[in-house]
Amino acid sequence: MSAESPERTSTGSPAQLRPLYAAGFVTAFGAHSIAASLGAYTHGEHASLLTLGLLLAVYDGAEVILKPVFGSLADRIGPRPVLLGGLLAFALASAGFVLAGNPAAVGLARLGQGAAAAAFSPAAGALVARLSPAKRHGRAFGGYGAWKSIGYTLGPLLGGILITFGGFSLLFGTLAVLALAVTGWAMLVVPAAPPLPRARQTVLDLARRLSHPSFLRPTATLAGTTAALAVGVGFLPVTGAAAGLGALAAGAAVSLLALCSAVVQPWAGRARDAGRLRDGTGMGGGLALAAAGMAVAAFLPGVAGVLTAAVAIGVGVGLATPLGFAHLAAITPPERLGQTMGAAEVGRELGDAGGPLLVGAIATATTLGAGFLGLAALLVVAGLAAAGARASQRADD
C-alpha cells in the first residue's frame, strides 16, 4: 500500500496525460474503424446479417461484462499495470488476426480487442483523475474525451483507406503497431500510481454506492451522450439519404457531429475548472442540446435539418461528457476510482447499444422521426435529473 496523498498521485503535467489521451483514441479508433467496415466484410464473405450483428456486438459485449472487473482490479493493484496490460493485450489481439491469416478469425480478434479495451479504458479514466489536481479535472477529461471523439471521427475514414489498400490485415496490423506504440509511450511517461489504502467494502456497500443519485446522475448523463452520438452517427445518414444527400455528404454530416464534440469538450472542461460552468448545469444543458438536435432531425427536412441536428448533437455531447466524468471523479473516493470508472463505462456502453435499438424499434413501428423524438424525451428526463447534481455530494456520504 502507498502512503501517498489521497487527493492525487502527481502534478499531472500535460506530458503525463497525453499517453492516456492516446489510449482513449486507440479504443475509439479501433472500435469504429473495424465496425464501419464489417458490413463490406460480411458481404464479401457471404455471411448473414445475424453474423454481422454478432461481430458488431462482441466488442461491446466484452466491455460491458469486463469493465467493472478490470476497474476493481485497477483499484486493487494500481491503474498503471492494468492500463499497460490492456494496451499490450489489444496489440496482441490485433496482431493475432494478422498472423492467423484467416478472415474468419475476425470475431475472435474483436472479442480479444474488446476484452483488452475493457481493461485499459477504465484504468485510463482513473489515471486521468489521479494524475490531475481536482481543480483541473474538467480540462483533463475534456482533453481525454476530445481525443476519443477524434478516434470516432477518423476511424471509419482511415479504416476504409487501410482496408482498400491492404484489406483487414493492414487495418489490424496498424492497430497492433498503434497500441504497441502507446504502450511504450505510457511505460516511459505515465508515473506509478500505487493502490491507495481502502476500507473494507461489502457487496451491499457497493450496491448502495452505485445506486446513489450522485453516481446515477453523471452515469445517466454519459449513457445519454453516448446514445445521442450513436444515433446521430447511425441514423442521420438515413435522414440525409431520404433528403437526397449522397454518401459523401452524409458522411460529412457525421464528421461534423464528431468534430463539434471534439472541439467543445476541452472548452467545457476549462469553463468548469474556472467556475464558469457548474456540473449540473453543464450536464443538463448538454443533454437538452442533444435532445434539441434529435427534434430538429425529426421536424426539419433536408440538408439544413441534417446539418443543424449534427451541430446540436455534437455540441451537446461535447458539453456534457467531460463534466460527467469530472463529476464522477469529484464524488468518488480516490481509492475507488477504477471501480467507479468501470461501472460508469458500462453505462456508456449500454447507451451506445440502447440508443440505436430504441430509435430503430420506434422507427420500425412508426417513423424515424418518432424514433428521434422518443430518444429526445429520454434525454430531457436525464437532463432534468442531471441538473440537480451537486459536486460536493459523495456516494459514500
Side-chain angles (χ1 to χ4, degrees):
M1 291 292 180
S2 170
E4 62 183 320
S5 167
E7 294 301 321
R8 57 176 177 168
T9 299
S10 75
T11 57
S13 68
Q16 294 172 344
L17 295 177
R18 287 183 190 121
L20 305 178
Y21 297 170
F25 175 85
V26 168
T27 184
F29 177 77
H32 280 235
S33 62
I34 298 172
S37 305
L38 282 175
Y41 165 82
T42 52
H43 178 76
E45 295 294 318
H46 305 290
S48 67
L49 290 177
L50 176 60
T51 300
L52 174 60
L54 290 173
L55 290 175
L56 288 170
V58 67
Y59 189 101
D60 292 330
E63 288 194 297
V64 167
I65 294 170
L66 294 176
K67 274 184 174 179
V69 176
F70 284 117
S72 296
L73 181 64
D75 291 333
R76 184 177 297 277
I77 68 173
R80 186 174 183 269
V82 178
L83 171 81
L84 298 176
L87 285 168
L88 183 59
F90 192 94
L92 291 175
S94 303
F97 176 84
V98 179
L99 295 175
N102 181 4
V106 67
L108 290 175
R110 287 273 291 173
L111 178 62
Q113 287 178 330
F120 71 76
S121 186
L127 280 165
V128 168
R130 285 190 58 181
L131 296 179
S132 305
K135 63 182 179 181
R136 293 178 62 89
H137 275 168
R139 180 175 300 189
F141 279 109
Y144 181 66
W147 277 100
K148 292 192 77 168
S149 293
I150 293 172
Y152 294 139
T153 305
L154 295 181
L157 174 63
L158 295 184
I161 293 173
L162 290 170
I163 289 172
T164 299
F165 285 99
F168 268 79
S169 292
L170 180 57
L171 174 56
F172 276 89
T174 301
L175 289 172
V177 172
L178 177 62
L180 197 60
V182 175
T183 303
W185 188 12
M187 288 180 67
L188 293 174
V189 175
V190 176
L196 298 171
R198 298 179 303 159
R200 183 177 177 273
Q201 177 181 253
T202 66
V203 174
L204 182 61
D205 293 332
L206 174 62
R208 183 173 63 87
R209 189 160 64 85
L210 298 186
S211 62
H212 197 282
S214 63
F215 172 82
L216 293 177
R217 287 184 179 121
T219 301
T221 296
L222 294 174
T225 57
T226 309
L229 178 63
V231 168
V233 170
F235 288 94
L236 281 183
V238 176
T239 302
L245 292 182
L248 181 61
V254 170
S255 295
L256 177 63
L257 187 161
L259 179 62
C260 288
S261 176
V263 170
V264 169
Q265 289 199 50
W267 173 85
R270 288 193 296 269
R272 188 252 188 198
D273 293 341
R276 299 193 303 270
L277 184 62
R278 294 182 180 274
D279 291 349
T281 302
M283 290 189 291
L287 290 174
L289 272 174
M294 295 294 163
V296 168
F299 290 120
L300 185 61
V303 177
V306 173
L307 295 180
T308 303
V311 171
I313 295 169
V315 172
V317 169
L319 178 61
T321 299
L323 301 187
F325 277 119
H327 188 80
L328 283 169
I331 59 93
T332 301
E335 68 274 14
R336 302 289 182 188
L337 277 169
Q339 186 179 72
T340 295
M341 293 300 174
E345 287 279 0
V346 171
R348 282 170 58 85
E349 296 299 334
L350 293 176
D352 192 25
L357 283 175
L358 172 69
V359 172
I362 296 176
T364 300
T366 54
T367 64
L368 180 55
F372 284 134
L373 293 176
L375 179 58
L378 287 182
L379 293 175
V380 169
V381 172
L384 290 173
R390 291 179 293 145
S392 61
Q393 185 181 26
R394 277 192 175 181
D396 57 348
D397 286 346

